[in-house]
Amino acid sequence: MILHRWISVGLTLVTLVAPAAHAQPLPEASALPPEIAQAAVTLLGRGLKAPETARFDRLRMGRAGAVCGQVDTTNRMGQHVGPRGFVADLEAGFAALVPDGAELRNPASPAHYAAMQRALALFAANCAA
């Protein structure tokens, strides 16, 4: 059985700088060493409103060195929205959910758009099939 938790997403794409409030449980089936998996989970969780509710799955090392995986989130109403890809560059201290089309069409700022493009490029280099 894979341990799962939920997250409430405050920002879809976040460059993370603040420490996480709670440690995240790791999926039992993670293909990564526990310390790398925990670092990726913590890095992505730092920018989430409720990181302790995140459900992480399919953690693996990407082709170019970043960590790839899926995270299951809830919306503002607390409803399950399904798994979504994420990518984390541990050396650069960057982690982000993979943006969807609506997010790319309506960025909050030029910096937000640049961060989404960074996430897409990192995901393409590491995680895309």
Side-chain angles (χ1 to χ4, degrees), residues 11 13-15 94 96 103-104 106-119:
L11 296 174
L13 183 68
V14 182
T15 301
F94 176 83
E103 293 165 337
L104 288 168
N106 299 302
S109 67
H112 185 240
Y113 183 77
M116 287 190 289
Q117 291 300 318
R118 181 179 180 188

Side-chain angles (χ1 to χ4, degrees), residues 62-77:
R63 290 184 298 273
V67 176
C68 305
Q70 290 184 337
V71 61
D72 200 351
T73 64
T74 57
N75 61 19
R76 291 181 298 165
M77 303 297 288

Side-chain angles (χ1 to χ4, degrees), residues 48-68:
L48 302 173
K49 285 187 178 181
E52 67 279 358
T53 63
R55 294 191 325 165
F56 291 90
D57 196 14
R58 299 185 182 187
L59 298 178
R60 65 197 183 284
M61 190 58 74
R63 290 184 298 273
V67 176
C68 305

Side-chain angles (χ1 to χ4, degrees), residues 9 12-13 73 81-86 96-107 112-113 115-117 119-120 123:
V9 177
T12 303
L13 183 68
T73 64
V81 296
R84 189 161 171 187
F86 79 88
L97 296 174
V98 177
D100 64 16
E103 293 165 337
L104 288 168
R105 288 188 298 274
N106 299 302
H112 185 240
Y113 183 77
M116 287 190 289
Q117 291 300 318
L120 286 172
F123 185 81

